[in-house]
Amino acid sequence: MADDTTLRVRLRCTGGIAGREINGLLDASHLPADQARELEALVEVLPAEDVRGLFPPPVPDSMFYELHVERYGQRRAYWYHSCSLPPEVLPLVRLLLHAADGNPST
């Protein structure tokens, strides 16, 4: 269970031509202060409610993104595919994909 000081964001990305799964995690408590503030700012633009943004229908070989946010005692989830990913969510997805590539972040 998340406590009231936690900011943790998980990404599960599946699909694409290769069909591989990518998982990324960022925990603000394990980041330098400037990166933790960046994560906070990126999470701040997410919708206040859980979102299942699956429209329009996905095209063949599109990517599917599952975002799970634990933020200060609350949990939210967001589901998008490549065609429904809002532009304001893309920087957070990119940051999490960068983290999944084995760069130090957690």
Side-chain angles (χ1 to χ4, degrees):
M1 183 169 154
D3 65 43
D4 61 356
T5 62
T6 300
L7 173 56
R8 191 174 298 126
V9 184
R10 296 177 193 273
L11 172 71
R12 180 174 176 254
C13 180
T14 57
I17 294 171
R20 87 179 182 143
E21 182 173 319
I22 302 167
N23 293 285
L25 168 68
L26 290 171
D27 186 327
S29 67
H30 296 142
L31 296 172
D34 61 327
Q35 291 177 11
R37 283 190 299 274
E38 177 186 8
L39 180 61
E40 176 69 37
L42 293 172
V43 167
E44 189 66 33
V45 301
L46 294 173
E49 302 293 324
D50 290 5
V51 172
R52 189 171 286 275
L54 298 178
F55 298 101
V59 296
D61 298 322
S62 65
M63 299 297 291
F64 180 74
Y65 304 95
E66 251 180 84
L67 277 170
H68 296 274
V69 178
E70 295 176 36
R71 185 176 187 211
Y72 313 125
Q74 298 181 354
R75 293 178 183 209
R76 289 180 285 166
Y78 306 90
W79 298 268
Y80 301 104
H81 60 73
S82 300
C83 297
S84 68
L85 189 64
E88 64 272 14
V89 177
L90 188 56
L92 179 59
V93 168
R94 285 184 178 150
L95 186 65
L96 287 154
L97 289 173
H98 184 74
D101 283 339
N103 297 294
S105 60
T106 58

